């Protein structure tokens, strides 16, 4: 299932999913850990790791762009394509 931009829940989790909140406190840590956990749950339950939105952006692109190293590692573990190219010919 995707939104109007063809972004999936995995895109959203990769975009926001990090275990390193910029302001570490209990509330932020729970939020960010929840996002990384959500990505793991989605992948464990068959989410398409290489699903792309309308611009050809995958969850791996989102995680890389936002420096979410934990999500990057997780997505690669689930065989995300590190050579996927966006509509703007970016990897």
């Amino acid at each position: 299932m995707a939104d109007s931009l063809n972004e999936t829940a995995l895109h959203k989790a990769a975009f926001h999913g990090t275990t390193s909140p910029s302001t570490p406190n209990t509330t932020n840590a729970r939020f960010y850990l929840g996002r990384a956990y959500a990505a793991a749950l989605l992948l464990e339950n068959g989410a398409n790791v290489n699903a792309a939105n309308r611009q050809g952006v995958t969850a791996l692109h989102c995680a890389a762009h936002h420096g979410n190293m934990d999500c990057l590692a997780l997505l690669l573990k689930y065989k995300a394509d590190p050579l996927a190219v966006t509509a703007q010919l970016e990897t």
Side-chain angles (χ1 to χ4, degrees):
M1 179 169 261
D3 65 13
S4 62
L5 298 174
N6 205 39
E7 290 186 344
T8 66
L10 190 56
H11 281 93
K12 306 296 185 189
F15 181 85
H16 297 288
T18 177
T19 55
S20 303
S22 58
T23 309
N25 65 43
T26 305
T27 303
N28 283 345
R30 284 185 186 147
F31 172 78
Y32 286 105
L33 287 171
R35 293 290 191 160
Y37 180 69
L41 279 177
L42 290 164
L43 291 165
E44 288 170 8
N45 286 283
N48 180 353
V49 72
N50 290 308
N53 68 14
R54 289 185 183 176
Q55 290 80 34
V57 175
T58 66
L60 190 66
H61 291 121
C62 291
H65 182 77
H66 294 283
N68 297 331
M69 302 309 288
D70 292 339
C71 283
L72 278 170
L74 181 67
L75 292 164
L76 290 169
K77 176 182 172 185
Y78 278 85
K79 309 290 187 221
D81 182 1
L83 302 177
V85 178
T86 68
Q88 288 78 31
L89 303 177
E90 299 172 328
T91 57

